[in-house]
Every structure is written in C-alpha cells, then in structure tokens.
Amino acid sequence: SQKIEQNSEALNIQEGKTATLTCNYTNYSPAYLQWYRQDPGRGPVFLLLIRENEKEKRKERLKVTFDTTLKQSLFHITASQPADSATYLCALVGTGTASKLTFGTGTRLQVTL
Amino acid sequence: GAGVSQSPSNKVTEKGKDVELRCDPISGHTALYWYRQSLGQGLEFLIYFQGNSAPDKSGLPSDRFSAERTGGSVSTLTIQRTQQEDSAVYLCASSLVTGDHNEQFFGPGTRLTVL
C-alpha cells in the first residue's frame, strides 16, 4: 500500500544549528513533492516544491533534496531560529493524479535558545 | 479577501445532528480541497473540486459526508448524523492549477467537536 512516513517524534535542536527532517515514501511515483509548515491552530503554509527531475532546491535558509531512488526527501533549515518551531509536512503528487496531494503526518521541530 | 476563509471557526454539536462547514476560496482559484485533521494526525484528503469537472470524492469516509461547490467558488461540507469520531479540524484549501504546480493555500480550519 502507499505510505508516506515522517518521523513522528519531535526534533529538538539548538538555535543556530541545522535541522534536518526526513520524508520517506513507498509505492508512489511522485511527479513532485512539497513541504509545508503548520503552526498550532492554523492551516499549513506552502514552503517549497521540488520536481522528480530535480535533486535539490533552495530558498533562503531552506534546502530540500529529492532522491527518487531512495524514495526520500530531506528538508533542511540552516541557522535555525526559535521562530522556525512548527510542524513540517511533506506532501506528494503522484504522476497523473491531477494535482491531488497526499500528506505525511508531519514532524514537530522545536528550536531552543 | 486575501486568503481562504472558513466558517465557523469552532463548532460544537451533539451526536446525531447535521453540520455545515463553509469555505470561501481565494478568488480565481479553480481548485478547492477539503481535508480532515485529527489530533496529532496528518491531513486526510476528503474531496477535490476542479473547475466544472466532476468532483473527486474518493476520500469521503462515509455517505454521511457530502460537499458542494456553488458557482465555482464557495464550498459547503455537510456531515449528516454526526458521530463522535467525526470530531476533528476540517481544513479547506484552494489552488490555481496551472501546469504541474499545485501550491495549496489553506484556510484556518473549522474545529468540530461532536459530544
């Protein structure tokens, strides 16, 4: 069966360090993958999209990698700040599924001073 | 408005009652989605509207759930004969579907509590 897995345990890191979150998937052939941020009591907010033919995408302090062989995406936040504390969700669109996203359960990131 | 809005923000109802949840998407967005998020869980896809096409209802958990989108804009999600397991946050999102880029813009959600 199709599955998207994110680490359900919270990730706690110190301010200034690089946070790395993992998204693994099985039985998908995604055309692209997206990362969203969700704060408590709010809807998710889009951060980055990476296509199947791209290895890496950057936006300011964010970097996403996409390895279709390993079936894995890594999401990095460099020079992390307490304001980066949130839950981060990955989402996949399969080839030919006309924009229908499937979301992972998310990983909570806590950045401490 | 500038973003997706949803109403009500909170709804408490008794088991067996019907509820209607409303979503106002971003003007001009042709695609509209409903999701459900239970405590500590990911987003569960419910239904997807795209333009004038027939909606993708593959995520609706039972026939107690239905949704409409009138005039290609506002959408209403209806849950009939609510059950306690329906308690969750119901999120609506819209997107401007161009090519293969499908950034979804989410509303703040409606928190439904069924007593």
Side-chain angles (χ1 to χ4, degrees), chain A:
Chain A
S1 63
Q2 293 182 322
K3 192 181 293 185
I4 303 171
E5 293 182 324
Q6 295 185 256
N7 194 342
S8 58
E9 292 182 14
L11 177 64
N12 294 292
I13 65 165
Q14 196 173 23
E15 183 181 22
K17 302 290 186 183
T18 296
T20 299
L21 288 73
T22 304
C23 175
N24 295 295
Y25 58 92
T26 54
N27 295 320
Y28 278 98
S29 296
Y32 56 88
L33 183 148
Q34 300 182 357
W35 284 88
Y36 287 77
R37 169 184 173 141
Q38 186 173 25
D39 291 283
R42 296 180 173 248
V45 175
F46 171 82
L47 296 175
L48 279 170
L49 175 151
I50 186 166
R51 293 182 171 81
E52 61 180 336
N53 60 351
E54 297 176 317
K55 297 295 185 186
E56 181 179 299
K57 183 73 71 74
R58 291 176 184 261
K59 179 181 176 182
E60 297 173 352
R61 293 185 296 111
L62 308 180
K63 184 179 84 171
V64 171
T65 63
F66 193 12
D67 189 326
T68 55
T69 300
L70 290 179
K71 298 187 184 298
Q72 180 181 80
S73 175
L74 299 179
F75 177 81
H76 307 272
I77 306 175
T78 58
S80 59
Q81 304 166 359
D84 296 327
S85 299
T87 296
Y88 292 86
L89 303 162
C90 69
L92 301 180
V93 171
T95 305
T97 55
S99 306
K100 180 177 164 182
L101 282 176
T102 303
F103 284 82
T105 55
T107 298
R108 171 144 181 77
L109 172 66
Q110 185 69 42
V111 181
T112 55
L113 294 171

Side-chain angles (χ1 to χ4, degrees), chain B residues 22-25 32 49 51-52 67-76:
Chain B
R22 177 187 168 103
C23 172
D24 282 272
L32 186 146
F49 296 89
N52 295 320
E68 290 184 340
R69 188 178 186 192
T70 55
S73 182
V74 171
S75 177
T76 302

Side-chain angles (χ1 to χ4, degrees), chain B residues 3 8 17 22 44 52 57 66 86-87 96 98 104 107 109:
Chain B
K17 301 284 190 183
R22 177 187 168 103
E44 176 189 2
N52 295 320
K57 305 180 182 180
S66 63
D86 299 334
S87 297
L96 185 60
T98 55
Q104 295 190 13

